[in-house]
Amino acid sequence: AVVSTQSTGGQAAEMGGEWEEAINHYKALLVIDPKNMAAVNAVKLCQNKMKSFKEAQKKRYANMFERTNFKEPEPTPEENKLKPNFSETEESSEEEGEEMEDAPESVEV
């Protein structure tokens, strides 16, 4: 009964693409019955399928980050003109201070 359960579990995992889980089931079966050639072949088959799958994934996603451009473009001279220039703040604040002296301080209602 245990042999059948391990074999069925391995087959189910294999059909679901869970290669490592299938290998674990088949290896557990080999602990019980080391001469079970179906389990030996199933382990080899699952190992090959898992290796092929990993290689296909590496090829598929190898250049994924090289194909996309994550860098922001350099600002154009026109865009730089739109940004405030803080290097002239001392001079402009003194001029604003003079303008504020001419304005009325408060208005009572």
Side-chain angles (χ1 to χ4, degrees):
V2 174
V3 172
S4 176
T5 304
Q6 291 300 332
S7 179
T8 305
Q11 290 170 349
E14 189 177 345
M15 282 195 266
E18 300 291 331
W19 311 119
E20 289 182 38
E21 185 178 340
I23 290 169
N24 291 336
H25 280 285
Y26 292 130
K27 284 185 176 180
L29 178 59
L30 288 171
V31 169
I32 298 166
D33 183 10
K35 295 181 182 180
N36 188 330
M37 290 308 292
V40 171
N41 291 333
V43 168
K44 290 178 184 178
L45 180 69
C46 288
Q47 288 173 336
N48 288 336
K49 286 183 178 181
M50 187 168 60
K51 183 179 176 183
S52 296
F53 178 75
K54 286 182 178 181
E55 287 174 2
Q57 291 296 86
K58 281 183 183 180
K59 287 180 184 177
R60 183 177 191 179
Y61 296 111
N63 299 323
M64 183 172 75
F65 294 109
E66 292 175 9
R67 289 182 288 193
T68 56
N69 184 7
F70 290 111
K71 292 183 179 179
E72 291 186 22
E74 293 293 324
T76 62
E78 293 90 29
E79 291 174 334
N80 281 336
K81 290 178 184 176
L82 299 176
K83 294 180 182 178
N85 185 357
F86 293 109
S87 62
E88 300 175 7
T89 54
E90 294 177 13
E91 294 173 13
S92 61
S93 62
E94 290 174 6
E95 293 172 5
E96 289 175 9
E98 292 172 4
E99 292 175 13
M100 294 300 290
E101 290 175 7
D102 296 338
E105 291 183 23
S106 62
V107 178
E108 294 181 26
V109 179

